[in-house]
Amino acid sequence: LSSMIQVLLTCELPLAVLPLGTANDLARSLSIPEDLELAFEVIAGNHQRRIDLGEVNGHYFFNVANMGLGAHVTEELTDEVKKRWGVFSYVRALIGAIMRHDQFRLHVTLDGKHHRLRSMHLAVGNGRFYGGGNVINEDAGIDDGKLSLYSLRPVSVWEFITLTPLLRSGQQSRDRRVFCAQATEIDIDAGKRQLAIHADGEPVSQTPARFCVLPKALSVVAPESH
C-alpha cells in the first residue's frame, strides 16, 4: 500500500482498503472490518476522512518506520515465511531477530529537544497499529497530527518476553526500559554507523534520518464512527 502513496497524492484520489494482507494494520487503524462483505459495505458507503502520513528521508509511510530489531524482523519475514505461517510469521521473525543481539547508540532530536539513547529497537509510528496488531502508543491515532516514537534499551530475550504485553497494547511508556515520546519532527543520527530503516515492511532508507508528519494529507474511505 505504501508504494501507492505518491500516486494517490498526485492524483488527489481517496484510498479504499480491503483487508487482504498478512497484518492489515492500516485497515485496523481505519477500523475497517476484517470480514470482506462488511469491508465492501464500508467502501460502498463512501464515507471519507482525512488521515496523516509519515515521511522519512523523502519516503512516505502509513503505519510505522523501524530501525534495529524492527528492521531485522522485516528481513526475516520472507514471502515464503508469510505464506506458511500467516500472521504468526511475525512471531517467528521476531525470535530470529532477537537472536542477533544488535544494539546501537543514537542522538535523537524531538521538535528541537535533544536526547542520547542506547537502543536495540526504535520505532516511529504515524498510524496506531503495526506488526500484526501491536499498538505504537496507547494514545496514538492516524489523524492526530503527531508521530509516536519509542526506543527499547538492550534487553535479554527473557526481558523482552516480559515486555511483550506492554508493547502489544501500546503501554510501553510504563516501563523504564522504554523511552517514549511524541513529536511532529524527529531527527535520528547513529554517528558513524548507518542503520537500515524499514517503513511499512519495506527497506526505504538509512540513518541519519529526518522524520516528519503530514497532517490530514490523504483522503481515505472509512466507517463513519472510528
Side-chain angles (χ1 to χ4, degrees), residues 22 72-96:
T22 305
H72 297 329
V73 167
T74 304
E75 292 167 1
E76 298 273 347
L77 206 59
T78 63
D79 289 340
E80 181 181 346
V81 170
K82 285 184 179 180
K83 186 176 180 180
R84 183 174 180 181
W85 294 81
V87 70
F88 294 104
S89 59
Y90 285 87
V91 178
R92 186 179 186 278
L94 180 60
I95 292 171

Side-chain angles (χ1 to χ4, degrees), residues 110-156:
L110 299 154
D111 289 339
K113 295 182 180 179
H114 304 288
H115 303 268
R116 292 194 178 276
L117 306 175
R118 190 164 64 95
S119 179
M120 65 181 292
H121 169 68
L122 185 141
V124 177
N126 170 63
R128 180 171 178 81
F129 295 100
Y130 72 102
N134 297 307
V135 179
I136 188 70
N137 182 304
E138 61 183 330
D139 299 320
I142 201 166
D143 57 359
D144 60 8
K146 300 175 184 177
L147 297 173
S148 297
L149 174 148
Y150 82 83
S151 174
L152 176 62
R153 284 173 43 189
V155 296
S156 67

Side-chain angles (χ1 to χ4, degrees), residues 8-223:
L8 292 166
L9 290 175
T10 301
C11 297
E12 298 183 355
L13 292 172
L15 172 66
V17 178
L18 288 174
L20 293 168
T22 305
N24 299 314
D25 289 307
L26 178 58
R28 281 191 179 92
S29 287
L30 298 176
S31 300
I32 304 293
E34 290 188 10
D35 183 279
L36 285 183
E37 288 190 13
L38 296 177
F40 275 118
E41 288 181 12
V42 170
I43 294 173
N46 198 30
H47 176 265
Q48 297 182 19
R49 55 182 278 216
R50 307 289 297 188
I51 64 167
D52 306 336
L53 291 173
E55 183 180 348
V56 53
N57 291 351
H59 298 271
Y60 299 116
F61 62 95
F62 285 114
N63 301 319
V64 71
N66 291 299
M67 58 191 74
L69 187 62
H72 297 329
V73 167
T74 304
E75 292 167 1
E76 298 273 347
L77 206 59
T78 63
D79 289 340
E80 181 181 346
V81 170
K82 285 184 179 180
K83 186 176 180 180
R84 183 174 180 181
W85 294 81
V87 70
F88 294 104
S89 59
Y90 285 87
V91 178
R92 186 179 186 278
L94 180 60
I95 292 171
I98 292 174
M99 297 307 292
R100 295 192 186 191
H101 299 293
D102 192 21
Q103 58 180 277
F104 40 86
R105 294 184 182 276
L106 299 171
H107 183 197
V108 178
T109 304
L110 299 154
D111 289 339
K113 295 182 180 179
H114 304 288
H115 303 268
R116 292 194 178 276
L117 306 175
R118 190 164 64 95
S119 179
M120 65 181 292
H121 169 68
L122 185 141
V124 177
N126 170 63
R128 180 171 178 81
F129 295 100
Y130 72 102
N134 297 307
V135 179
I136 188 70
N137 182 304
E138 61 183 330
D139 299 320
I142 201 166
D143 57 359
D144 60 8
K146 300 175 184 177
L147 297 173
S148 297
L149 174 148
Y150 82 83
S151 174
L152 176 62
R153 284 173 43 189
V155 296
S156 67
V157 174
W158 173 247
E159 284 181 299
F160 185 88
I161 292 172
T162 63
L163 275 169
T164 299
L166 294 178
L167 296 172
R168 182 71 179 174
S169 61
Q171 299 178 335
Q172 52 265 44
S173 63
R174 305 183 185 191
D175 194 286
R176 59 180 177 78
R177 293 166 290 185
V178 187
F179 173 86
C180 296
Q182 289 187 311
T184 57
E185 291 186 357
I186 301 171
D187 289 287
I188 298 176
D189 192 346
K192 295 180 180 180
R193 186 170 180 182
Q194 292 183 316
L195 298 172
I197 300 171
H198 289 215
D200 289 349
E202 299 292 337
V204 297
S205 191
Q206 59 189 18
T207 55
R210 168 159 288 188
F211 293 83
C212 64
V213 61
L214 285 65
K216 306 293 191 292
L218 190 66
S219 181
V220 296
V221 179

